[in-house]
């Protein structure tokens, strides 16, 4: 998915700095989309390094989550082209919420499919980071609706940073 995202960046028309600056919005969209997709990939890579068994519920929940995750580049571009409009930011935030909810479903499916795996059960014992994401984004939606639409996107990105911090402090805290 990340490879496909980079194909969205148009080639600079010539070898000048000005030509590169002309595509800065597309590069910013790519960078944001990359961070979101990398975060999802990194999480799944870490979790699946512990998994011994999966079932169809795990596969389908991840597949559906990846579908919604694949909308991030489109929605990021939609927001970038319409930064003062509520709908693009709302859809971006809604996508984040859907992926967070699907991650909770995936966690529960993984725990149910691999019940004997104590390490997995301990690692997936807490849904707090995903509930936190949902709360941040809902708060961003309220602020975005009444005050500043980009507050939703800021809340989404802030939720990623929060996930990283929660993960770090659980390991080192």
């Amino acid at each position: 998915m990340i490879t496909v995202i980079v194909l969205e960046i148009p080639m600079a028309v010539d070898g000048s700095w000005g030509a590169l600056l002309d595509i800065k919005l597309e590069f910013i969209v790519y960078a944001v989309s990359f961070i979101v997709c990398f975060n999802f990939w990194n999480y799944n890579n870490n979790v699946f390094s512990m998994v011994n068994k999966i079932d169809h519920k795990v596969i389908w929940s991840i597949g559906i989550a990846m579908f919604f995750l694949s909308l991030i580049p489109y929605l990021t571009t939609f927001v970038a082209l319409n930064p003062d409009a509520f709908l693009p930011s709302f859809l971006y935030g809604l996508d984040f919420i859907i992926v967070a909810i699907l991650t909770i479903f995936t966690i529960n499916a993984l725990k149910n499919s691999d019940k004997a795996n104590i390490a997995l059960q301990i690692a997936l014992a807490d849904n707090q980071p995903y509930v936190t994401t949902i709360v941040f984004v809902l708060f961003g939606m309220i602020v975005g609706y009444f005050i500043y639409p980009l507050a939703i996107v800021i809340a989404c990105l802030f939720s990623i940073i929060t996930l990283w911090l929660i993960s770090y402090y659980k390991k080192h805290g």
Side-chain angles (χ1 to χ4, degrees), residues 40-50:
F40 188 82
W41 173 84
N42 186 45
Y43 168 78
N44 280 303
N45 187 53
N46 288 332
V47 167
F48 278 90
S49 69
M50 293 182 277

Side-chain angles (χ1 to χ4, degrees), residues 19-41:
L20 284 175
L21 287 175
D22 288 342
I23 60 170
K24 67 183 171 290
L25 176 64
E26 289 85 352
F27 185 77
I28 291 169
V29 166
Y30 166 74
V32 169
S33 298
F34 177 86
I35 289 167
V36 172
C37 291
F38 172 77
N39 189 60
F40 188 82
W41 173 84

Side-chain angles (χ1 to χ4, degrees), residues 90-169:
F90 173 78
L91 292 175
Y92 190 88
L94 182 61
D95 197 55
F96 255 68
I97 289 172
I98 290 169
V99 170
I101 290 169
L102 288 167
T103 300
I104 292 170
F105 283 134
T106 301
I107 287 169
N108 290 332
L110 277 168
K111 291 189 319 189
N112 287 331
S113 71
D114 200 1
K115 290 182 180 180
N117 188 337
I118 303 301
L120 183 69
Q121 298 296 326
I122 292 170
L124 300 180
D126 186 13
N127 288 329
Q128 177 199 1
Y130 310 102
V131 173
T132 302
T133 293
I134 294 167
V135 169
F136 278 159
V137 176
L138 287 173
F139 178 75
M141 286 177 167
I142 293 168
V143 173
Y145 182 77
F146 289 108
I147 301 170
Y148 182 59
L150 284 178
I152 300 168
V153 176
I154 293 166
C156 291
L157 298 177
F158 186 68
S159 74
I160 291 174
I161 294 167
T162 302
L163 286 173
W164 289 340
L165 291 174
I166 290 171
S167 175
Y168 177 80
Y169 284 112

